[in-house]
Amino acid sequence: MESVKGTRVISVRTATDLVVLDEAGELIRRGELVVFPTETVYGLGGNALDPEAAAKIYAAKGRPSDNPLIVHVAKNEDIEPLVRAVPQVAVELMERLWPGPLTLVFPARSEVPRRTTGGLDTVAIRMPAHPVALAFIAAAGVPIAGPSANLSGRPSPTTAEHVIADLAGRVAMIIDAGQTGVGVESTVVDITVSPPQILRPGGTTLEELQTVVPEITVDPTTLADRPPALDRVRAPGMKYKHYAPRAEVIVVEGTPEKVAARVAVLYDEYEAAGRRVAIMATAENAASYGERTFAVVGSRQDLGTVAANLFDLLRRFDDQGIEVILAEGVDMVGLGLAVMNRLRKAAGYRIVKA
Ligand code: AMP
Ligand code: MG
């Protein structure tokens, strides 16, 4: 066991490490914070039914108090004490896509603290598809409020090292289970409206959701290539600056060939101006950048690879002292929807159309 600034860092490779998970559960019941791995990104966990634990989460992240927390459960029955109603469409989505990177917004019971829901009378719930997460929630015996375990505004953490960089000294324990698989956060779907609506694209794709709910809609502000009007945003978290590295990010969008050509020109201009610049490249275009500084984020043929490495690469460029990141845009299909939503926000909507 390691300790960084008073935070215990514990490595768990299997859900059978019950002693450690019992200790983590005990910390949660005592009102402490424990960072846990999920299949999407690491979560900053606290007892969702304890308003003081929720307040600690906001304080540890520096998160605005009107940005609600997602509540994590280990079994379908665990939602019953939290929600006022379970519409048929929710039953079907849970049946088909839980556990998984899908968060459902339900009407909340009054027992759910408004600290947890950011003052709303709805509550967002998901069941993560990660054996360690499920065992941790079960060991705690209470639903776990768990926003991404990063400082507010920073890229979400996909490794324990990212969590340590942001939260050491601010939480009691970090459970390290290696790099997360999906790499972008869950898809948030509001099932209190008819038809249901995607409030935030994420690890469950629109195409997958359409196989269960063909009439599902997407909040148009999440697809926009300019900042949304704040009064239009339906998931409160989507109004805030997000996912941003210290470096300036510019997204270059268009066909792969035009993107590669434009990125190279922009790179040379920034370099000539004395800036430290790097390219977030797709595998397909990497060869065209020659001697320029670049790192491959993933493949256009498998956008899951781009999602998995996106946040880690943003943080790595920061660690290398890069000042300007030129990021290739990808197609907004499958996981590309979540990738482009995150990239455009990381860029503060600085988009160049190639
Ligand atoms: P994070 O936990 O950092 O991944 O962010 C959670 C996201 O879910 C934010 O965009 C929140 O605004 C959104 N969210 C959580 N609860 C609700 C809710 N009750 N209604 C709408 N959006 C929600
Ligand atoms: Mg977050």
Side-chain angles (χ1 to χ4, degrees), residues 67 152-154 237-246 345-346 348:
N67 185 1
S152 192
R154 301 261 303 138
M238 302 302 275
K239 343 185 251 251
Y240 295 106
K241 174 168 179 254
H242 239 110
Y243 318 116
R246 280 177 279 274
K345 283 171 157 285

Side-chain angles (χ1 to χ4, degrees), residues 77-88:
E77 307 88 90
D78 294 347
I79 73 166
E80 277 156 26
L82 306 172
V83 307
R84 275 184 282 125
V86 185
Q88 182 57 28

Side-chain angles (χ1 to χ4, degrees), residues 41 61 63 67 147-150 153-154 156-157 185 200 242-243:
V41 302
K61 278 183 67 92
R63 183 174 174 113
N67 185 1
S148 51
N150 52 282
R154 301 261 303 138
S156 297
E185 302 84 344
R200 174 179 76 178
H242 239 110
Y243 318 116

Side-chain angles (χ1 to χ4, degrees), residues 15 56 76 80 86 106 130 151 197-198 211 222 228 242 255 312 320 350:
K56 277 191 190 173
N76 280 7
E80 277 156 26
V86 185
F106 293 90
H130 192 298
L151 290 174
Q197 185 173 51
I198 296 177
T211 66
T222 68
H242 239 110
T255 63
D312 179 61
Q320 292 162 17
R350 279 196 64 191

Side-chain angles (χ1 to χ4, degrees), residues 27-40:
L27 286 168
I28 291 291
R29 288 190 296 277
R30 291 211 308 258
E32 301 291 333
L33 304 183
V34 175
V35 173
F36 63 104
T38 80
E39 82 280 32
T40 59

Side-chain angles (χ1 to χ4, degrees), residues 63 67-70 105 120 122-124 146-148 185 188 199-200 234-238:
R63 183 174 174 113
N67 185 1
L69 307 177
I70 292 173
V105 175
L120 299 174
T122 53
V123 58
S148 51
E185 302 84 344
V188 179
L199 305 185
R200 174 179 76 178
R234 301 206 45 241
M238 302 302 275

Side-chain angles (χ1 to χ4, degrees), residues 163-252:
V163 179
I164 291 168
D166 280 16
L167 296 180
R170 293 169 177 256
V171 297
M173 184 189 275
I174 296 167
I175 305 171
D176 175 0
Q179 185 172 0
T180 63
V182 178
V184 290
E185 302 84 344
S186 61
T187 302
V188 179
V189 174
D190 185 356
I191 48 94
T192 70
V193 295
S194 185
Q197 185 173 51
I198 296 177
L199 305 185
R200 174 179 76 178
T204 299
T205 63
L206 171 62
E207 294 85 345
E208 283 173 282
L209 286 161
Q210 282 169 332
T211 66
V212 185
V213 187
E215 67 278 19
I216 196 163
T217 64
V218 185
D219 176 355
T221 66
T222 68
L223 306 176
D225 58 5
R226 65 182 72 133
L230 294 189
D231 56 345
R232 289 285 184 84
V233 173
R234 301 206 45 241
M238 302 302 275
K239 343 185 251 251
Y240 295 106
K241 174 168 179 254
H242 239 110
Y243 318 116
R246 280 177 279 274
E248 207 179 308
V249 180
I250 298 164
V251 189
V252 184

